[in-house]
């Protein structure tokens, strides 16, 4: 990808923002992203940002991708969330064996993949692959995808666990059950995926042992630095980037709201003249900036190391996870501060501030945002203690 390609995608995303803002309530009411939004995102080239050049993608640097996500989420939290998740999956597919990539992109390079990585099902090792069954929740944007990534342990014939993999299935091998009815991120359509004894050929499974060592079968044809980055850095940041974008959207909406707000309890004083309100706005802005600067600095540092062919230090990878969950906390704290500063009218249905407030708190409960787990991993690394089961 050239710098011009990246700028072109970002320019296209920026042009979409006014429409996405206007469509945010419609998206929430429908409990899914409108088809015209997905089509518009595809036309900007957004979904190609992390797709390998081998299959018509831009193979962009990750900061360009996260910047696009942040912009989208600043206009509509649900749209930014789904775009981020669907947009990172081409990167994940690029780590799979070449035959799996050919299965998906061979006929259509615009195919989209949803996911549910939590181990909510089970796989049995059989000749040539696996038999997979289960129910997986929270597959954001699944209505706009024709393939899915599902996480599950693999068991041998004696019932002994032998691996943990991500399995790639076409839409004919799974069903979608509409269960998504929530108080936040309502427009993400994060429905359940049902699988009943589906056969998954061996080349459509990727072991977490491979992703944890940053040595994957896909590097045979995708040798660029983007595909040598750690799964445990790229994927969690995909969750935090839209949350920071939502915080930015809440900030912009709050500032616009405060310009004309009159505080009835203070003899008609305009909020924009209230020094205490200004302090809260400044605090929120600082938290949002800090979250974004940490996320982009860390990811870019890893990417530059990969570009130079250098080792990715484990301490750096731990820092990425630490700052990723801290970024989520900073963004949510900023939105809370702004919401507290907005007054009663911000509670009205349809106002962007209350929507962003609900959306960031919904995003917080994602497994990638578990701060204690991430901070403990970082602390263990600092003291030279074992870091067990660490996807970093």
């Amino acid at each position: 990808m050239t710098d011009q390609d990246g700028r072109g995608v970002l320019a296209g995303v920026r042009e979409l923002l006014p429409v996405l803002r206007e469509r945010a309530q419609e998206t929430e009411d429908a409990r899914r992203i409108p088809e015209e939004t997905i089509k518009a995102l595809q036309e900007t080239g957004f979904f190609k940002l992390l797709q390998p050049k081998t299959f018509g993608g831009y193979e962009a640097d990750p900061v360009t991708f996260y910047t696009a996500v942040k912009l989208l989420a600043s206009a509509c939290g649900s749209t930014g969330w789904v775009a981020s998740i669907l947009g990172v999956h081409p990167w994940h597919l690029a780590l799979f064996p070449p035959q799996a990539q050919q299965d998906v992109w061979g006929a259509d390079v615009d195919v989209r993949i949803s996911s549910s990585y939590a181990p909510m099902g089970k796989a049995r090792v059989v000749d040539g692959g696996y038999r997979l069954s289960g129910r997986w929740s929270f597959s954001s944007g699944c209505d706009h995808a024709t393939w899915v990534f599902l996480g599950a342990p693999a068991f041998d014939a004696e019932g002994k666990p032998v691996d943990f993999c991500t399995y790639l299935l076409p839409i004919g091998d799974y069903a979608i059950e509409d269960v998504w009815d929530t108080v936040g991120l309502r427009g993400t359509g994060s429905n359940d995926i049902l699988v009943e004894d589906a056969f998954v050929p061996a080349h459509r499974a990727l072991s977490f042992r491979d992703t944890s060592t940053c040595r994957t079968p896909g590097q045979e044809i995708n040798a660029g630095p983007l595909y040598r980055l750690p799964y445990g850095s790229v994927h969690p940041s995909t969750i935090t980037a839209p949350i920071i974008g939502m915080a930015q959207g809440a900030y912009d909406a709050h500032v616009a709201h405060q310009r004309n707000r009159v505080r009835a309890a203070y003899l008609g004083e305009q909020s924009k003249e209230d020094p205490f309100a200004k302090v809260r706005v400044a605090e929120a802005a600082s938290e949002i900036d800090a979250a974004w600067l940490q996320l982009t600095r860390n990811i870019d540092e890893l990417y530059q190391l990969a570009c130079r062919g250098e080792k990715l230090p484990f301490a750096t990878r731990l820092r990425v996870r630490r700052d990723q969950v801290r970024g989520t906390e900073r963004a949510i704290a900023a939105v809370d501060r702004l919401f507290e500063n907005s007054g009663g009218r911000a509670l009205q249905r349809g106002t962007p501030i209350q929507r962003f407030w609900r959306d960031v708190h919904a995003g917080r409960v994602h497994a990638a945002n578990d701060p204690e787990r991430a901070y403990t991993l970082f602390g263990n690394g600092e003291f030279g203690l074992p870091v067990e089961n660490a996807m970093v």
Side-chain angles (χ1 to χ4, degrees):
M1 174 182 142
T2 67
D3 289 341
Q4 185 174 356
D5 291 330
R7 287 195 297 268
V9 172
L10 291 176
V13 165
R14 287 189 177 95
E15 288 179 5
L16 278 180
L17 300 185
V19 174
L20 297 181
R21 288 189 191 97
E22 292 176 5
R23 205 177 278 162
Q25 188 61 50
E26 172 192 343
T27 299
E28 176 162 284
D29 292 343
R31 297 184 297 111
R32 56 175 285 169
I33 308 300
E35 291 291 344
E36 53 265 38
T37 294
I38 297 294
K39 181 180 178 181
L41 286 172
Q42 181 171 313
E43 290 173 350
T44 67
F46 170 82
F47 293 119
K48 296 286 184 65
L49 283 174
L50 299 187
Q51 191 160 316
K53 293 178 181 177
T54 313
F55 289 99
Y58 291 136
E59 207 164 311
D61 70 274
V63 172
T64 297
F65 173 74
Y66 293 127
T67 300
V69 167
K70 177 174 176 264
L71 288 168
L72 293 168
S74 73
C76 172
S78 289
T79 298
W81 182 272
V82 169
S84 192
I85 289 172
L86 295 184
V88 79
H89 289 156
W91 176 85
H92 195 182
L93 179 57
L95 310 183
F96 273 68
Q99 183 57 54
Q101 298 179 53
Q102 183 64 36
D103 290 352
V104 176
W105 285 320
D108 183 2
V109 294
D110 291 319
V111 166
R112 288 183 293 274
I113 308 168
S114 69
S115 67
S116 181
Y117 293 107
M120 297 179 179
K122 293 183 179 180
R124 289 186 296 110
V125 178
V126 297
D127 289 343
Y130 307 84
R131 305 296 306 195
L132 183 68
S133 295
R135 174 190 287 266
W136 286 260
S137 297
F138 315 125
S139 187
S140 299
C142 58
D143 289 321
H144 305 290
T146 53
W147 290 76
V148 69
F149 287 131
L150 299 172
F155 297 85
D156 62 17
E158 285 72 44
K160 178 183 177 182
V162 294
D163 204 351
F164 188 92
C165 299
T166 298
Y167 306 90
L168 173 65
L169 285 76
I171 196 167
D173 288 350
Y174 64 90
I176 299 172
E177 185 172 334
D178 185 352
V179 298
W180 190 248
D181 191 2
T182 58
V183 297
L185 292 175
R186 285 183 55 80
T188 61
S190 303
N191 290 308
D192 285 5
I193 303 295
L194 281 66
V195 178
E196 185 175 348
D197 197 32
F199 175 69
V200 182
H203 68 270
R204 291 190 199 154
L206 182 64
S207 172
F208 270 57
R209 287 193 293 260
D210 293 333
T211 52
S212 64
T213 60
C214 300
R215 297 186 182 92
T216 61
Q219 291 168 354
E220 177 185 336
I221 59 173
N222 302 315
L226 181 63
Y227 307 108
R228 296 197 299 274
L229 296 179
Y231 176 96
S233 299
V234 173
H235 262 264
S237 298
T238 299
I239 298 303
T240 295
I243 292 176
I244 298 173
M246 295 172 213
Q248 184 63 55
Y251 177 85
D252 295 340
H254 177 76
V255 170
H257 173 70
Q258 292 293 87
R259 286 196 183 105
N260 298 315
R261 180 183 165 215
V262 174
R263 303 187 70 180
Y266 293 92
L267 301 177
E269 176 189 57
Q270 285 196 313
S271 293
K272 66 181 180 181
E273 303 299 335
D274 180 358
F276 302 106
K278 293 176 184 178
V279 168
R280 297 181 191 113
V281 168
E283 289 173 341
S286 180
E287 290 293 273
I288 296 166
D289 285 350
W292 183 242
L293 288 170
Q294 283 186 300
L295 185 146
T296 54
R297 179 203 66 169
N298 288 336
I299 288 295
D300 188 60
E301 182 177 332
L302 283 179
Y303 184 64
Q304 295 306 322
L305 287 167
C307 287
R308 296 193 297 269
E310 297 179 21
K311 183 178 180 180
L312 307 182
F314 199 62
T316 304
R317 294 167 65 178
L318 286 170
R319 169 160 52 84
V320 171
R321 278 288 282 132
R322 179 200 69 187
D323 291 348
Q324 172 257 315
V325 296
R326 185 70 187 115
T328 294
E329 289 182 322
R330 287 182 185 276
I332 293 173
V335 177
D336 284 346
R337 198 72 167 133
L338 295 168
F339 189 64
E340 293 164 2
N341 201 42
S342 294
R345 294 192 185 279
L347 293 170
Q348 292 179 344
R349 186 177 184 273
T351 62
I353 296 173
Q354 55 81 30
R355 185 186 306 116
F356 283 123
W357 183 80
R358 289 185 287 106
D359 286 349
V360 295
H361 282 278
R364 163 62 183 85
V365 302
H366 191 283
N369 288 324
D370 183 344
E372 288 78 17
R373 186 173 300 277
Y375 294 157
T376 300
L377 290 175
F378 180 82
N380 283 350
E382 288 293 284
F383 289 109
L385 300 173
V387 181
E388 299 177 355
N389 303 318
M391 279 305 301
V392 296

